Amino acid sequence: MRHLLQRARDALARLAGVRRHAHIEQRLDDEMRFHIDMQTERNVSAGMSPADARRAALVAFGGPERYREATRDEYRSRFLDELAQDVRYAVRTLRRAPGFAAVVVATLAVGIGATTAIFSVVNGVLLRPLPLRSPERLAWALERSGDGGLRLPSYPTYLDWQAQAPSLRGAVEGMAFVRGQTATLRGEAGPDPVVVAYITPGFFALTGTQPLVGRAFGGDEERAGTEPTVVMSYGLWRRRFGGDRSVIGTRLDLNGVATTVIGVLPPDAYPTFGELWQPIGVIEATDPVLRRRGARADSRTVVRIAEGADSARAAAALAAVGRRLAAQYPAESEGWTSVALTPLRAELLGDVRPTLLTLAGAVALVLLLACANVANLLAVRAAGRGREFAVRSALGAGRGRLSRQLLAETLVLAACGGVVGSVVALALVRVVRHAAGSRLPRADQIELDGLALLFCLGISVVAAVIVGVSPALRAARTNLTDRLRAGASGSVGGSREARLRSTLAVVQLALALTLLIGAGLLAQSFRRVLDVPLGFAAENLVAIRIQPSARKVDEPAQAAALFERALEAVRAVPGVSDAALVNHVPVGGGNISTPVEVEGTRERSAGATALYRTASESYLRTMRMRLARGRWLSADDIRSRTPVFVVNETMAKRFWPGQDPVGRRVTLRRTAPGRSGLGEPLPGVVIGVVGDVHQFGQEADVEPEVYVPYTVEVWTWITVVARVSDPGLTVPALRSAVRRVDPDIPLGGEGPSAAIRTAESMVSTNIAQRRFAVSLVGAFSGAALLLAVLGLYGVLAHGVAQRTREMGIRAALGATAGDIVRLVVTEGAKLALLGVGAGVACAVALARSIRAMLFQTAPEDPTAYLIMAAVLIAAALAASYLPARRAARLDPTAAIRAD
């Protein structure tokens, strides 16, 4: 009967509410008529006719619509006043529970701050438009062979494509060429190596690049024989000139030539490898790489696809020209008849997109987990305030007012969480920018800007809605009699609330396990990357790039003598155990390939290439590489300049499978930039096989590689590799030793262009992006685990508080402390197992999305699943033990009397 009466009362209340809303408009009309009637009577008393009095009253009052709007404004003002009251009451309520408010604000701040920080990263790197005109129509072209091989087009090939521009109309709007080359920039601090990008006329117009300071090249400046001018990169401008805008007009000493600065480009200008830009006419007459069709090194051919066309159509148009070139120049172009166009954005961003999207997904899970945790806390708090809501309802508070009150409290908490979260996001953005450095493209574009703050505001509102709707709706369904009786008995919440809290705890555990498994898979991949042998010992190995001025290395004999003196000077430095010469050091970023023709294996060597290494007799020993067969280059080979070759195991297996390659004849092509013999045949005999070296890092496949005595083809620059006892102590002495040989050799620079680098730093840079992803995902998964464990602890602690009397009765009937501990821990273990089951299912579904980031690791790798599930269960049991121990220590008498 009591329940029937209660239902009837609720129905009457709902009906009264409907009637109250339905009578609002009617009341507006009644009040309008009353005021108009009163004004009409006053007008009649003043001597006006009834019709004129009525009309004057309507005119004076402003008409029915004006009165209706005024009355609605009154109701709107009343609503805003009530909302302000709700907010003030919410603040007072939360001030009485500072611990609860602090936990909720901190939890929301972690979720909102992390999400906003990662949004800033994704926005700065991926979403922010490139400073180029229609960048989606820009691509760089590669020649493609019939078997899918790719190579850079040579400068003569580019000129042939450019000459065929009329036939490309409709598919290709324009194209340009850029050649990268290291130069020497001299200043007060001494010579420094810089990378100069030599560009063809119209390059900036094609890409739509606008200088940040100054101007770009004019028509006359792009022709050979004019006064040398240069456009500077943003990074070099900030590093060398402190961002001083008066740099325009400054004359630089570039390769011994006075060159005038005319402009500074924006931070992420293309190409990214350039520190200075000059017209290609500066080197066109002297650089043999630009004159030979078979020479391809450090260059890009940029294509702007015509409006309305796509990359496939543009590639087909260029391929038609390629087929004519293959017939015209069979020695250099036979078999390379198609073209591949790669979007410029892909080159600028590299393979960072999967990493950032993975981080964004991880942070989204952390935010969901934080919302679930806060929703659990709010549900517990709302259940504990059941009697308060019942009393307020009995005093006349409607359901809407109660719901609005809880939503106001949630909005206050979310606003505070958003403010603190923006501070957390600012700190995280600074940490990410510092940690990313050169590991992330466009890292200097990462900032907490207005868009990120707007995103933070939106996330705060969404979080408030997610965590506040359920408690508000449940409070609106308050049963007056039940709540008052529940409050009298000391109970808070029923079985439905308990099930809701347990469900939220399971959701938190599942989300945390999903993140933990993702972090475990990435960590497993990272460990396996580190386990891949490089093929040489990187510890205590220092690489010193020796690049003298051009006049000192014009003659090969002169250059070889200078390199030999530098080598001897390095060997004489205390702490150096051995040293050697090589053109390109492994994982150092520079590599040049040479065409390979193997005698008797034309079908296997057609279109084949190998990495080209020139080295000294001590290189194998200094690098601690493995000799697999035959012998290494000897001192006699170096002195006699005999073209003998040592190949790696990958090349031996490719060209001589199951055979001994020693004694086989091979013909290479000379590839030394700046030498007159560039592209000429270089026949020789294989004298040995060495172990494979990962020249591009542990994750890249090993390519065929051939080693040649450095005296056979003396380059215009060389690298000295030195095995030292302590790089930190030895590097200054190495710099001084080289400067004594030639003070004009540039030994400065930063990052990849630095003249002196340790092999360990180069290896570290190579795997930096993977380490960055593993570190951030690991940090987020750790935060997720902490939030999930706290959520489980809250559920169990609240459950123990609800069942205080039950625990007392159990203890009075003979239950031991161990029995009570086991009871509570078993309940926590059940929730943990449910979370593990749901988390594993989610992880299996989501792990496939990070397959591209895994190295030698399957998305279903059982090791990561088992270890992370064990970690979660152990943490859950630890969280369960704390409230269980408190329950076991309850005094039975006091527990039974608890109200």
Side-chain angles (χ1 to χ4, degrees):
M1 180 64 70
R2 186 179 75 250
H3 292 296
L4 291 176
L5 290 174
Q6 182 63 39
R7 290 183 180 179
R9 184 162 53 188
D10 291 343
L12 289 174
R14 286 194 296 271
L15 181 60
V18 171
R19 288 180 176 177
R20 183 170 67 246
H21 289 291
H23 283 309
I24 288 178
E25 289 294 329
Q26 182 62 42
R27 188 171 71 177
L28 288 177
D29 292 338
D30 291 343
E31 291 181 3
M32 178 187 68
R33 292 193 194 96
F34 172 78
H35 287 290
I36 293 176
D37 289 344
M38 292 295 295
Q39 184 65 40
T40 301
E41 290 179 5
R42 285 193 290 270
N43 292 341
V44 171
S45 300
M48 297 177 65
S49 66
D52 292 339
R54 187 75 174 179
R55 188 180 303 108
L58 288 172
V59 171
F61 195 74
E65 284 302 321
R66 180 174 177 181
Y67 177 75
R68 198 185 306 273
E69 290 177 4
T71 310
R72 285 173 180 165
D73 290 341
E74 178 184 350
Y75 279 95
R76 190 180 299 113
S77 176
R78 186 180 306 168
F79 171 79
L80 294 176
D81 290 341
E82 291 179 352
L83 180 61
Q85 292 175 9
D86 290 338
V87 171
R88 287 194 296 269
Y89 183 79
V91 172
R92 289 197 303 270
T93 302
L94 294 174
R95 287 178 63 183
R96 290 195 294 269
F100 167 80
V103 170
V104 171
V105 169
T107 303
L108 286 175
V110 170
I112 294 173
T115 307
T116 304
I118 294 302
F119 171 79
S120 299
V121 175
V122 173
N123 179 55
V125 176
L126 295 181
L127 303 181
R128 184 166 295 172
L130 297 172
L132 304 171
R133 177 173 61 89
S134 302
E136 70 281 356
R137 293 197 286 124
L138 287 173
W140 61 293
L142 293 169
E143 291 182 289
R144 182 162 52 193
S145 63
D147 59 358
L150 297 173
R151 71 180 187 184
L152 296 169
S154 64
Y155 186 60
T157 299
Y158 158 77
L159 293 177
D160 287 331
W161 284 350
Q162 183 78 339
Q164 298 296 323
S167 66
L168 303 176
R169 222 169 265 147
V172 175
E173 182 178 311
M175 64 181 67
F177 186 88
V178 54
R179 162 87 160 103
Q181 198 173 71
T182 303
T184 301
L185 179 62
R186 289 175 173 80
E188 295 180 359
D192 283 334
V194 292
V195 178
V196 181
Y198 296 98
I199 57 177
T200 53
F203 182 90
F204 290 144
L206 179 80
T207 59
T209 304
Q210 296 295 328
L212 184 68
V213 181
R215 60 179 178 83
F217 299 116
D220 293 338
E221 293 168 330
E222 292 183 308
R223 291 197 299 268
T226 59
E227 181 181 350
T229 55
V230 68
V231 174
M232 187 178 297
S233 72
Y234 181 86
L236 185 63
W237 176 55
R238 298 288 299 180
R239 186 171 69 248
R240 199 170 179 104
F241 297 95
D244 185 2
R245 288 178 172 264
S246 63
V247 71
I248 304 301
T250 301
R251 295 178 72 82
L252 304 179
D253 184 342
L254 185 62
N255 280 344
V257 178
T259 307
T260 304
V261 178
I262 63 171
V264 177
L265 294 186
D268 49 355
Y270 181 83
T272 55
F273 58 75
E275 295 177 282
L276 294 172
W277 279 261
Q278 279 196 293
I280 203 167
V282 174
I283 62 168
E284 192 167 11
T286 59
D287 188 358
V289 172
L290 298 179
R291 299 197 301 269
R292 293 188 175 274
R293 186 171 298 274
R296 299 168 182 85
D298 302 326
S299 64
R300 294 288 186 274
T301 298
V302 183
V303 174
R304 177 170 287 280
I305 301 171
E307 191 170 357
D310 56 15
S311 59
R313 181 179 173 186
L318 290 172
V321 180
R323 286 190 290 272
R324 293 197 294 271
L325 294 178
Q328 189 174 356
Y329 307 102
E332 295 87 0
S333 302
E334 185 178 6
W336 299 86
T337 56
S338 60
V339 173
L341 293 180
T342 302
L344 210 59
R345 175 175 285 272
E347 184 192 357
L348 291 172
L349 300 182
D351 56 353
V352 74
R353 184 182 180 88
T355 300
L356 293 185
L357 294 182
T358 299
L359 292 177
V363 167
L365 290 180
V366 171
L367 179 63
L368 287 177
L369 201 150
C371 289
N373 204 330
V374 172
N376 214 340
L377 291 171
L378 291 175
V380 170
R381 179 173 169 79
R385 298 170 65 188
R387 183 166 182 165
E388 173 196 339
F389 296 149
V391 171
R392 293 185 64 188
S393 179
L395 293 177
R399 293 183 177 182
R401 189 61 186 271
L402 291 177
S403 299
R404 198 166 65 235
Q405 177 61 53
L406 279 179
L407 284 175
E409 293 181 12
T410 305
L411 285 173
V412 170
L413 290 171
C416 295
V419 171
V420 179
S422 63
V423 177
V424 172
L426 180 60
L428 286 177
V429 164
R430 290 178 177 175
V431 170
V432 169
R433 284 189 63 167
H434 178 73
S438 61
R439 303 171 179 88
L440 275 181
R442 310 183 76 192
D444 54 350
Q445 300 295 303
I446 301 173
E447 59 182 357
L448 193 67
D449 55 6
L451 181 61
L453 291 176
L454 184 63
F455 178 82
C456 181
L457 175 63
I459 287 294
S460 303
V461 173
V462 171
V465 172
I466 291 175
V467 303
V469 167
S470 178
L473 292 177
R474 297 185 72 80
R477 294 196 292 268
T478 299
N479 187 304
L480 179 61
T481 305
D482 291 348
R483 286 295 188 183
L484 287 174
R485 290 185 175 180
S489 62
S491 175
V492 283
S495 59
R496 183 178 300 176
E497 285 86 354
R499 286 195 298 271
L500 173 62
R501 291 191 291 273
S502 298
T503 301
L504 287 174
V506 170
V507 169
Q508 292 179 66
L509 292 170
L511 291 176
L513 182 60
T514 301
L515 263 181
L516 285 171
I517 290 175
L521 291 172
L522 292 176
Q524 183 87 313
S525 296
F526 187 58
R527 182 184 64 80
R528 288 175 177 167
V529 167
L530 296 179
D531 288 343
V532 173
L534 286 166
F536 69 97
E539 299 79 12
N540 297 331
L541 189 68
V542 178
I544 311 161
R545 183 184 174 97
I546 308 296
Q547 186 169 9
S549 59
R551 59 184 175 79
K552 296 182 180 181
V553 291
D554 279 342
E555 294 297 327
Q558 182 185 16
L562 177 57
F563 298 156
E564 187 66 30
R565 291 199 305 273
L567 177 61
E568 293 304 322
V570 168
R571 282 177 175 165
V573 172
V576 175
S577 58
D578 213 337
L581 299 175
V582 68
N583 58 348
H584 290 294
V585 68
V587 299
N591 286 285
I592 289 183
S593 297
T594 176
V596 176
E597 298 174 13
V598 178
E599 188 179 73
T601 60
R602 181 171 178 79
E603 67 282 357
R604 285 199 297 272
S605 61
T609 61
L611 297 178
Y612 189 85
R613 293 283 181 270
T614 62
S616 64
E617 75 280 2
S618 54
Y619 182 72
L620 184 76
R621 183 177 65 251
T622 302
M623 300 295 290
R624 297 179 184 172
M625 293 165 52
R626 178 175 57 87
L627 182 64
R629 187 187 298 271
R631 67 176 179 87
W632 177 250
L633 305 173
S634 68
D636 292 336
D637 296 327
I638 302 298
R639 283 193 297 269
S640 65
R641 303 184 180 183
T642 304
V644 292
F645 308 141
V646 177
V647 301
N648 67 345
E649 290 178 312
T650 295
M651 184 169 176
K653 292 174 183 176
R654 174 172 180 179
F655 295 110
W656 305 280
Q659 303 175 41
D660 186 358
V662 176
R664 304 283 182 163
R665 298 194 64 81
V666 175
T667 300
L668 310 178
R669 296 281 175 173
R670 295 183 180 273
T671 60
R675 293 301 183 203
S676 58
L678 183 67
E680 293 180 356
L682 182 63
V685 178
V686 176
I687 61 171
V689 180
V690 296
D692 288 334
V693 173
H694 285 266
Q695 299 288 349
F696 302 99
Q698 296 98 314
E699 296 184 60
D701 294 334
V702 177
E703 296 188 14
E705 190 171 13
V706 59
Y707 297 85
V708 183
Y710 82 95
T711 52
V712 169
E713 186 177 14
V714 183
W715 288 39
T716 56
W717 52 265
I718 203 73
T719 301
V720 179
V721 287
R723 181 74 55 184
V724 301
S725 57
D726 187 340
L729 298 176
T730 311
V731 166
L734 293 174
R735 181 178 285 108
S736 299
V738 174
R739 287 204 185 280
R740 284 194 296 270
V741 173
D742 185 350
D744 291 333
I745 294 177
L747 295 176
E750 296 182 5
S753 64
I756 302 180
R757 303 170 66 191
T758 64
E760 288 179 299
S761 70
M762 290 185 281
V763 173
S764 178
T765 301
N766 191 267
I767 60 175
Q769 187 173 307
R770 181 174 290 278
R771 182 189 290 112
F772 176 74
V774 171
S775 301
L776 282 187
V777 173
F780 293 145
S781 61
L785 178 62
L786 178 61
L787 290 175
V789 168
L790 290 177
L792 178 62
Y793 169 80
V795 168
L796 295 177
H798 182 70
V800 168
Q802 278 188 296
R803 301 165 63 184
T804 299
R805 181 174 297 176
E806 175 194 339
M807 298 298 178
I809 294 174
R810 286 177 179 271
L813 293 178
T816 64
D819 294 332
I820 295 177
V821 169
R822 193 178 305 110
L823 176 68
V824 178
V825 171
T826 300
E827 183 179 348
K830 290 179 181 178
L831 295 177
L833 290 175
L834 289 174
V836 167
V840 167
C842 293
V844 169
L846 295 179
R848 294 187 178 90
S849 63
I850 63 171
R851 184 189 297 270
M853 297 180 62
L854 302 180
F855 178 78
Q856 296 181 359
T857 303
E860 301 82 14
D861 189 300
T863 304
Y865 284 76
L866 290 175
I867 291 176
M868 294 307 171
V871 169
L872 183 72
I873 291 174
L877 293 179
S880 305
Y881 177 73
L882 296 177
R885 187 178 62 175
R886 186 163 55 249
R889 292 178 176 177
L890 289 173
D891 178 46
T893 304
I896 293 174
R897 290 177 179 175
D899 184 52

